[in-house]
Amino acid sequence: YIVNDLLEKVRGLSFELRPAVLDQLGLVPALLELFENYTMQTGVRVSFKQKDVEQRFASEMETTAYRIVQEALTNVARHAGVAGVTVRLWATEDLLSAQIEDRGCGFDPDAVLAAPRSSGLAGMRERVTLLDGQLTIDSRPGAGTQITAELPLGHNDRHAPV
């Protein structure tokens, strides 16, 4: 019994590190699976809008974009107090961009990022910075939140943390 429980926990952790569907099918199918599981677990509906993201991207790009969306959705479920969230994913010649937007309670990003305990926002910023990208957090109390990650394409010389 203990071994089976441990194996289930290890499988769960390995999925959390890099979902197999990300390797096998790419970013969009992995996100669609994430959204389905997220809505089942939290009751928060995800409206997904995508443009020009059918191709595969570098592994670290896909992992980073996936993790940003995953962390932002976790924050929405924990803090925003909304029934729905919008996720947008698009690519241009130079950038892969992901945006997560809710019309929830909002927060003061500077205060959260300055908090002594580790924050999901700080982790998102670190992941994006490792790929020379930019993370924009637009939020204020009572006004919802919009998080946008812009990742430069063609960036293959460094690796994001898993």
Side-chain angles (χ1 to χ4, degrees), residues 109-127:
D110 293 332
V112 171
L113 286 166
R117 67 186 187 352
S118 175
S119 136
L121 292 177
M124 285 192 266
R125 179 162 281 160
E126 182 178 312
R127 284 179 181 280

Side-chain angles (χ1 to χ4, degrees), residues 2 4-5 10 49 53-54 64 69 73 79 90 102-103 107 117 126-127 131 133 140 146 149 152 161:
I2 293 173
N4 287 339
D5 189 41
V10 169
K49 301 174 185 198
V53 290
E54 296 77 23
T64 298
V69 171
L73 289 178
H79 307 294
W90 70 96
D102 69 68
R103 304 216 182 268
F107 62 95
R117 67 186 187 352
E126 182 178 312
R127 284 179 181 280
L131 295 180
R140 353 181 255 295
Q146 184 180 78

Side-chain angles (χ1 to χ4, degrees), residues 1-11:
Y1 170 76
I2 293 173
V3 172
N4 287 339
D5 189 41
L6 185 59
L7 283 173
E8 280 304 307
K9 287 181 179 171
V10 169
R11 281 189 196 105

Side-chain angles (χ1 to χ4, degrees), residues 45-127:
R45 290 178 329 304
V46 178
S47 171
F48 182 47
K49 301 174 185 198
Q50 58 177 331
K51 184 173 186 211
D52 298 327
V53 290
E54 296 77 23
Q55 75 272 26
R56 293 299 304 260
F57 298 95
S59 175
E60 65 269 17
M61 289 286 161
E62 291 185 346
T63 301
T64 298
Y66 182 91
R67 289 286 169 240
I68 297 298
V69 171
Q70 184 181 46
E71 181 62 36
L73 289 178
T74 298
N75 289 344
V76 168
R78 283 186 184 150
H79 307 294
V82 295
V85 60
T86 300
V87 176
R88 295 176 190 88
L89 185 69
W90 70 96
T92 63
E93 190 174 313
D94 301 324
L95 293 173
L96 172 62
S97 299
Q99 185 177 76
I100 306 87
E101 182 175 16
D102 69 68
R103 304 216 182 268
C105 61
F107 62 95
D108 177 346
D110 293 332
V112 171
L113 286 166
R117 67 186 187 352
S118 175
S119 136
L121 292 177
M124 285 192 266
R125 179 162 281 160
E126 182 178 312
R127 284 179 181 280

